[in-house]
Amino acid sequence: MWIDTSARNDLETAVDLLAWRGRVVVLAGLATRPVLPAGPLYLKDCSVVGFAISQATTAELAAAAQTIGALLAAGKLLPRRRCRCR
């Protein structure tokens, strides 16, 4: 899963990094018009979904918080590593 909160919505990079049947979740970038890499997207059976937190129900927010907490506790939710280029 690739969760994009950057508002860049670089779908070409995201889909390239996804596993089989992976999912890209877009949370920001209302004005962006990213390129949709259709070939790699369907060959890997992946999907791209949008999520607007302002439209989520209380139950959905609670379920998301519980899932994120469990992933953090299990060490399965890791930040993207930043390049220390010179």
Side-chain angles (χ1 to χ4, degrees), residues 29-79:
L30 185 61
T32 64
R33 298 292 182 261
V35 173
L36 181 66
L41 189 68
Y42 75 76
L43 286 175
K44 292 172 80 174
D45 199 15
C46 296
S47 61
V48 178
V49 296
F51 175 72
I53 197 164
S54 60
Q55 297 175 14
T57 66
T58 304
E60 289 170 328
L61 292 172
Q66 185 175 22
T67 299
I68 289 170
L71 289 170
L72 284 169
K76 293 183 178 181
L77 188 61
L78 304 172

Side-chain angles (χ1 to χ4, degrees), residues 80-86:
R80 181 180 68 182
R81 293 186 180 141
R82 296 193 182 270
C83 175
R84 293 185 182 212
C85 302
R86 292 182 183 180

Side-chain angles (χ1 to χ4, degrees), residues 1-24:
M1 180 180 293
W2 175 281
I3 301 175
D4 189 337
T5 61
S6 70
R8 286 188 300 256
N9 297 323
D10 181 359
L11 297 180
E12 290 184 279
T13 298
V15 171
D16 188 46
L17 295 172
L18 287 178
W20 173 259
R21 294 192 174 171
R23 177 180 288 182
V24 176

